[in-house]
Amino acid sequence: MSNINEKNISGGINKNAGSSFRWTELVLGTVILLVLGSLYAWSTYRGTLVEEFNWTISSAQLTFSISMMTFCLGGLVSGIVSGKKGPRIPMLLSAVFMCIGLVISSMIDSMAGLYAAYGVFYGFGVGLGYNAIMGTIVKWFPDKTGLAGGVLLMGFGISSLIVGKLAARLIGAIGWRDTFFYFGIAFGLIVLIVSFFIRPPKPAEVEGFQAASGKSEPLSEMDYKGMLKAKNFWFFFVWVIALSAAGLCIVGNSATYADTICNNLETAATVAGVISICNGIGRVIFGSLFDIKGYRFTMLSVAVMFIISTIVLLTSSATGSFAVLIIAYVLVGLAYGGVTPTNSAFTAKFFGKQNYALNFSIVNLNLLIASYLPQVASSFQDKTGSYNGTFYYMIGLAAVALVMTLLIRSKQHQ
């Protein structure tokens, strides 16, 4: 009897500890992702560097493309290491690589140096930390996988707005070199310190949540080999490529397109921030929706919202209405925000949580393709001088995503 009571008491303590501690883990994970999302503040530095070194915009922008490639590579490495050793090593390496990348960026005098420092070191470091956090925190929420992923990714999404504004002020006050340097030290220390409090849950700490997981219960457990053989993976991979590309088409032109209606670049830049804010909100909304309504309803909703938002963008182009532009940017931000938490929740739902870290990093390789598809839209703009071609292209991409959603079945097909 004594042993039974001790077991029950122990189980109760573990469950209560897990109940409170998992929300602490979620908050800490969001803080780290807020720091890691600073990678997307690149556009804040680009103009200053182009002006000082007389570089072309395209050559400077290649820095960001390189950082996206190394971000994906860092995610893959993190997925492999986290699966074997846990998140601590990838997190520590993330802090080191981020710090080195930004500190060296503060010293560069050549394009090659910038590519190596910001593009390779910083991008790789962010990828290491991003995957380690996502792969660890979602394990605390077997009953709320979508919500947890949405909150984490909200932090990652709004970082560019917060860090971008801070960076702009610091560049004006102390210059871009000191800004890079102090950011490198600060970001590295934050990730380093907070990482010591990040850990995966013990089985007893999530046992009660696992039993109540309901719709969040995985359909199967697969390693990356099994996942790559599943038709559902490839249907979803096309879905996320199409909608990521559709979002990037407008995100990359948000300020310049807004300027065609506002005729004031400063106002246009402020309006573009609406997308970032709604992007963060959309991540929580659609992450929660996945938990409540499941994958098909969520995926269809994201694709349909992309189509509706693009129609509103076309309306703003035809009318020149500032109010319509704001509505369009709200809808675009919400729709684009629905993509990333769906990535996380879909991976956990269809392929399980035992190999989540590595599987999720493979899903994120969509960025290697999606980040270059907007170049097609840019060619339309170059030829016509109008953004309408870009908007029609976005509708086409969303239509492809709709078809992919209908092809996915809850039963795994290989």
Side-chain angles (χ1 to χ4, degrees):
M1 178 67 74
S2 175
N3 290 339
I4 293 175
N5 288 337
E6 288 177 4
K7 182 178 180 180
N8 290 337
I9 292 172
S10 177
I13 292 173
N14 283 335
K15 183 177 179 180
N16 292 335
S19 179
S20 59
F21 192 71
R22 69 173 186 163
W23 295 104
T24 302
E25 289 286 278
L26 182 61
V27 171
L28 293 175
T30 304
V31 169
I32 290 183
L33 284 186
L34 187 64
V35 172
L36 298 178
S38 60
L39 179 69
Y40 286 89
W42 162 249
S43 59
T44 305
Y45 314 114
R46 187 187 66 187
T48 302
L49 293 170
V50 166
E51 181 178 351
E52 177 164 334
F53 292 103
N54 198 28
W55 291 334
T56 63
I57 292 177
S58 60
S59 62
Q61 188 61 19
L62 182 58
T63 306
F64 186 69
S65 298
I66 294 172
S67 72
M68 286 294 95
M69 294 175 64
T70 56
F71 168 80
C72 293
L73 178 60
L76 273 176
V77 173
S78 179
I80 295 171
V81 176
S82 295
K84 297 179 178 179
K85 301 292 185 179
R88 183 63 52 80
I89 293 176
M91 290 303 306
L92 295 179
L93 289 175
S94 173
V96 172
F97 272 90
M98 288 178 65
C99 181
I100 291 175
L102 288 181
V103 168
I104 295 179
S105 293
S106 72
M107 306 174 185
I108 61 100
D109 286 306
S110 68
M111 186 69 72
L114 185 63
Y115 290 162
Y118 194 99
V120 177
F121 277 88
Y122 191 47
F124 186 75
V126 170
L128 284 170
Y130 175 86
N131 195 273
I133 289 297
M134 291 297 299
T136 301
I137 303 302
V138 296
K139 292 179 180 179
W140 283 93
F141 293 86
D143 56 330
K144 293 179 172 60
T145 302
L147 173 63
V151 172
L152 289 168
L153 292 165
M154 176 187 68
F156 195 72
I158 66 174
S159 176
S160 61
L161 180 64
I162 297 173
V163 176
K165 285 187 173 295
L166 178 59
R169 291 184 180 182
L170 288 175
I171 290 172
I174 61 177
W176 64 269
R177 291 188 184 275
D178 283 345
T179 298
F180 271 139
F181 180 83
Y182 290 126
F183 271 179
I185 300 299
F187 293 166
L189 283 175
I190 292 172
V191 173
L192 177 64
I193 293 171
V194 178
S195 69
F196 284 102
F197 298 94
I198 300 294
R199 67 169 177 83
K202 299 174 182 177
E205 291 176 307
V206 293
E207 184 178 355
F209 308 124
Q210 190 73 50
S213 60
K215 290 185 178 180
S216 296
E217 186 69 22
L219 294 173
S220 62
E221 291 288 346
M222 293 187 181
D223 60 13
Y224 77 94
K225 294 179 182 178
M227 183 180 72
L228 292 176
K229 292 178 181 178
K231 291 181 180 179
N232 280 339
F233 166 77
W234 294 105
F235 293 147
F236 180 75
F237 199 63
V238 174
W239 180 91
V240 70
I241 287 173
L243 293 187
S244 293
L248 290 171
C249 281
I250 187 61
V251 169
N253 294 288
S254 56
T256 53
Y257 173 66
D259 190 39
T260 65
I261 294 177
C262 302
N263 293 316
N264 183 296
L265 189 57
E266 184 175 348
T267 301
T270 301
V271 171
V274 170
I275 294 181
S276 295
I277 294 172
C278 292
N279 182 12
I281 296 172
R283 294 180 182 209
V284 178
I285 291 174
F286 284 103
S288 300
L289 191 64
F290 195 104
D291 291 333
I292 298 169
K293 292 292 187 179
Y295 77 93
R296 190 180 300 281
F297 185 88
T298 304
M299 292 173 66
L300 286 174
S301 297
V302 175
V304 169
M305 182 168 282
F306 258 111
I307 293 175
I308 294 173
S309 64
T310 309
I311 292 173
V312 179
L313 280 170
L314 285 166
T315 304
S316 71
S317 176
T319 63
S321 170
F322 182 77
V324 175
L325 173 67
I326 295 296
I327 294 172
Y329 274 18
V330 168
L331 293 175
V332 167
L334 291 173
Y336 190 40
V339 177
T340 45
T342 304
N343 290 355
S344 171
F346 187 93
T347 303
K349 177 70 175 179
F350 276 78
F351 311 116
K353 298 173 184 177
Q354 293 179 9
N355 301 287
Y356 173 87
L358 180 55
N359 289 344
F360 182 59
S361 68
I362 292 174
V363 170
N364 279 330
L365 292 178
N366 75 85
L367 290 172
L368 295 177
I369 303 173
S371 61
Y372 287 97
L373 286 181
Q375 297 298 324
V376 177
S378 297
S379 66
F380 296 151
Q381 185 182 336
D382 290 337
K383 292 178 181 178
T384 65
S386 169
Y387 285 91
N388 287 351
T390 296
F391 300 152
Y392 286 120
Y393 180 61
M394 290 170 62
I395 291 176
L397 289 170
V400 170
L402 275 174
V403 173
M404 292 300 105
T405 303
L406 297 175
L407 291 174
I408 294 173
R409 297 289 184 271
S410 58
K411 183 179 180 181
Q412 296 290 303
H413 294 283
Q414 295 186 350

